[in-house]
Amino acid sequence: MKQRDTLSRRLFLQRAFAVGGALAVGLAGGLTPLNALAGPAGKATAQQTRLLMGCFVTLTAVTRETSRAEDAFGAAFAEMERLIAVFDRHSATSALAVLNAQGRLAGSPPELVKVLAASQRLGVASEHAFNPAITPALDLLEASQAKIGGPLPGYADNDYRHALSLASPGGVRLDGGTIAFERSGMKLTLDGIAKGFIADRASEVLAAFGLADHMVNAGGDIRCSGRAARGENWTIGIRHPAGGTLASTAMGDGGIATSGSYESFYGRSGSRHHLISHLTGKSADVLSVTVKAGTAMRADALATALAFMP
């Protein structure tokens, strides 16, 4: 393709098999489990919720051994907190924040390398619709948001255009465990993929404890395994951004995630949201996209990428 804006969602789905298998995609909104609590005969439905990553994270398991579920939940939450300390760009001590501050990080945590490598593959497949280097532009929007009544940066403002230029493709070099930026002032956000990765790792912990039937709901980035109560598939409700349930979908083993124009807005009028194109500086014009994939990480990242497709 000669121009990125000619890459359709259909063509991208063909390319995306290189990064993550079969997908089911729909224009939708946020996600809500619909049958997480009903318990079958002989089994109990155990559940714990904590506030992590700026959202409520809920772990659910269907089991005859509630004591095992309690231990598994504790271990899964501990693993999630360990990974948050790697990916949280707002924490000065995280590996990602150190990389953003210094422009280079040797001996990077393997999880950071893995997720960044997946991001780069997805960036190529989507002709850089998925672009974690958009952070400098987001920083300008967040700074304007912090000023009560302050105007958002104009699309033609020099500072905003410069921030967008830092997100041009090819600015991140990954060499083994060393990550380096090619341009001064670059920063990364992995918010559009890391939360799904963290949900997947929590699922792996629950499975290691023998909880085959479980669900991890990380603020709408969901990883399901096995069966819900009474042996049926997990049922996930898809909410329209304007409110109300648009549809529902059954989930076996795999992930589901939504990206869209809700919850995170800039400006008093909410004229821009957090999905920003590095080409135009404007928010994606798709209301929302829901993706089902083999893992929550893939669903999370692909939903973000597809929001920018024509």
Side-chain angles (χ1 to χ4, degrees):
M1 308 299 290
K2 293 182 179 180
Q3 296 181 351
R4 193 209 68 80
D5 61 4
T6 63
L7 181 62
S8 68
R9 291 185 179 89
R10 183 179 298 276
L11 176 58
F12 173 66
L13 290 178
Q14 296 170 0
R15 295 185 182 185
F17 279 98
V19 294
L23 310 174
V25 182
L27 299 181
L31 305 177
T32 304
L34 298 181
N35 64 340
L37 290 178
K43 288 188 177 181
T45 300
Q47 189 174 82
Q48 279 192 16
T49 299
R50 295 187 188 179
L51 182 61
L52 298 172
M53 300 180 286
C55 63
F56 288 107
V57 177
T58 299
L59 306 180
T60 303
V62 180
T63 178
R64 288 185 171 85
E65 301 180 59
T66 56
S67 61
R68 175 179 294 183
E70 295 294 316
D71 293 340
F73 290 163
F77 278 125
E79 175 66 358
M80 296 180 84
E81 290 172 347
R82 183 185 73 83
L83 293 172
I84 291 168
V86 172
F87 292 106
D88 184 2
R89 66 185 175 95
H90 297 292
S91 171
T93 60
S94 74
L96 182 58
V98 172
L99 171 63
N100 284 340
Q102 299 180 357
R104 185 178 186 276
L105 184 65
S108 304
E111 297 88 357
L112 179 59
V113 173
K114 180 177 181 178
V115 172
L116 181 55
S119 298
Q120 291 182 324
R121 292 192 298 271
L122 183 60
V124 172
S126 66
E127 293 187 358
H128 304 285
F130 185 82
N131 191 335
I134 196 67
T135 307
L138 295 178
D139 286 346
L140 288 177
L141 291 169
E142 290 170 2
S144 298
Q145 183 87 332
K147 299 176 182 178
I148 298 177
L152 295 175
Y155 297 123
D157 288 358
N158 289 337
D159 287 348
Y160 196 54
R161 297 309 306 175
H162 174 66
L164 294 174
S165 72
L166 294 175
S168 298
V172 182
R173 186 174 72 254
L174 181 58
D175 182 11
T178 299
I179 307 168
F181 296 157
E182 302 287 353
R183 308 180 191 111
S184 177
M186 286 189 71
K187 293 182 180 180
L188 298 180
T189 174
L190 294 172
D191 293 351
I193 187 171
K195 190 162 71 166
F197 174 76
I198 292 171
D200 289 331
R201 290 295 290 266
S203 175
E204 292 172 7
V205 171
L206 297 180
F209 272 78
L211 300 178
D213 301 315
H214 66 260
M215 178 174 62
V216 179
N217 180 7
D221 288 283
I222 296 174
R223 176 64 186 264
C224 297
S225 177
R227 299 283 179 167
R230 304 187 186 93
E232 76 273 22
N233 287 327
W234 299 98
T235 302
I236 308 299
I238 303 172
R239 292 182 288 110
H240 193 285
T245 300
L246 180 66
S248 63
T249 185
M251 290 290 298
D253 293 336
I256 183 170
T258 288
S259 288
S261 56
Y262 52 90
E263 296 183 359
S264 298
F265 292 96
Y266 301 108
R268 288 181 295 176
S269 65
S271 58
R272 299 187 216 179
H273 59 79
H274 66 290
L275 296 176
I276 302 295
S277 166
H278 78 279
L279 294 175
T280 65
K282 298 180 179 180
S283 296
D285 59 3
V286 172
L287 283 178
S288 65
V289 180
T290 297
V291 177
K292 293 167 67 174
T295 66
M297 181 182 78
R298 292 169 182 162
D300 190 11
L302 290 167
T304 300
L306 286 165
F308 292 103
M309 295 292 175

